[in-house]
Amino acid sequence: MPIPVRKRDDDTSTTIAEALSEHGVTRRQFLQFCTAMSATLALPGLFVPRIASALEQAKRPTLVWMEFQECCGNIEAFLRAANPTVSDIILDIISLDYNETIMAASGQQAHEALAKVVKEQKGSYIAAVEGSIPLKQGGIHCCIGGRTALELAREVCGNALTTIAVGSCAAFGGVPAASPNPTGAVGVKDAVSGIKLINLPGCPANTDNITATLVHYLVFNKLPETDRFGRPLFAYGKRIHDNCERRSHFDSGQYVEQWGDMAHRQGHCLYKMGCKGPETFHNCPSQRYNQRVSWPVAAGHGCVGCSEPQFWDTMAPYYHRLPHVPGFGIEHTADKIGAGLAIGTAAAFAAHGVISALRKDDKSEGTRGEKHGEDRDRPDNADRRPPED
């Protein structure tokens, strides 16, 4: 059954519900999408009817998506969105009026399309930026149509209703900003001041988080609450380590010691192999990638901390374990840890069993597998008890 359409009395333009109905999206599919968005936004199920009602009446927002110093990984991920499908997103929910990679127009026609949006929809369109912005030598390291990325970002973002920095490069500079940073690459926040901005870091950013951010704005008419790095709490409010599917193995002191060993094949904890999950805030374990099929840790590779500021310089080398783990407890946020409220957690970490796990005589711990269960009564097993958060 098609979605029942309710138009605003004072607005006859196309609503999201109308667009979805025209493309054959059923009421059931629409409600499934609203339920998924409610879960992504960490809202209780009671909000599903409110999300559905708001989206039925909301007009399709105009989005311009600019690409600067990046690898196109974020737009590639966006094209593989599954909830809803990319065609739903592009054709039905949003009006993507400009993007260098997927738009039909090119050259002067493309530049004119962007200029038209900026001029005619000033203050009402949403800008998405992918990639860092170079500042050195007047910004000549990234030019589009004879204009620098810095010029374009200031004009387009400066006239937008709000700006979404998609991916780690746009949010914090990412790989282009890694030392020695020859182009002077920075994130949008450091290049364009005084704009309404939200950061969605990740390499790439998770498409569900992009969609949920847009939905939050359409439903509540404001951007979601963020942490001190401008990241929405619904997506970056919890640490990967606390929600990791390998966490039980960490609690049990079962670690991978070598790539491909028995512990690796059995899905044990990757902390010793350099996993940065204990210092990274992101909802990767719940949202996953590639139509929610998997994510790096599930695939057997440790988290590289790509959603954290300066992740390349601060998280490398990727295969060295973290020297200092800031704290434990799902209630901790990046703000609290940054403010030093996790005092004493290092002791908890030691008590948790990492120290014992790193002892020389424990080199085979990660490969014990089922044998580990036979050691529960050993005197040093107390060191492996979970910390009292």
Side-chain angles (χ1 to χ4, degrees), residues 249-250 252-257 263 268 272 353-369 371-372 375 378 380-381 384:
H249 293 292
F250 178 87
S252 300
Q254 296 174 310
Y255 301 96
V256 175
E257 301 284 348
H268 289 184
K272 285 187 176 182
V354 172
I355 298 301
S356 65
L358 301 183
R359 290 173 182 165
K360 291 183 179 179
D361 59 353
D362 280 336
K363 283 185 177 178
S364 62
E365 186 174 16
T367 59
R368 278 204 290 266
K371 185 179 178 181
H372 179 75
D375 297 334
R378 287 173 48 179
D380 62 351
N381 194 48
R384 299 191 179 92

Side-chain angles (χ1 to χ4, degrees), residues 1-6 14-27 29-30 55-56 60 88 91-93:
M1 182 178 68
I3 303 167
V5 177
R6 291 183 293 172
T14 303
T15 65
I16 289 176
E18 290 173 310
L20 291 172
S21 181
E22 290 172 359
H23 286 80
V25 177
T26 66
R27 179 71 178 174
Q29 291 170 323
F30 177 66
L55 291 183
E56 284 172 355
R60 300 162 61 196
D88 292 335
L91 299 177
D92 305 334
I93 293 181

